[in-house]
Amino acid sequence: AQVARHRQLVEQVAELASSFAPNGIQWIALKGAAAIARYYPAAGERRVRDLDVLIPLEQVEAACSVMERLGYR
């Protein structure tokens, strides 16, 4: 189950990147999402339950609109 979650999170990060870029939204992944990409390349090595991102305050509204279109709440 953790391996599937790892893959899903990697896909979500890629989806955000491809959706934020055309809108000029700057962002970085934090905590688990950032760690699995850099320090835990083998799926399932690190337990992750959510996706944390940091977005500049002036871009939060635009980022929320993009994320809502992608199905985030």
Side-chain angles (χ1 to χ4, degrees):
Q2 192 60 30
V3 171
R5 180 66 186 131
H6 177 106
R7 288 188 185 127
Q8 182 183 31
L9 186 64
V10 169
E11 290 170 6
Q12 287 176 317
V13 169
E15 180 181 46
L16 285 176
S18 66
S19 298
F20 283 164
N23 292 286
I25 298 169
Q26 298 176 349
W27 69 289
I28 58 172
L30 300 173
K31 301 179 356 184
I36 64 166
R38 185 173 180 134
Y39 302 110
Y40 303 95
E45 284 184 12
R46 185 181 194 286
R47 182 171 233 166
V48 179
R49 288 180 281 180
D50 60 2
L51 176 60
D52 298 294
V53 297
L54 179 65
I55 299 164
L57 187 58
E58 62 275 5
Q59 294 183 320
V60 167
E61 189 173 323
C64 285
S65 293
V66 168
M67 292 179 79
E68 286 173 2
R69 285 194 302 271
L70 295 173
Y72 291 89
R73 301 183 283 150

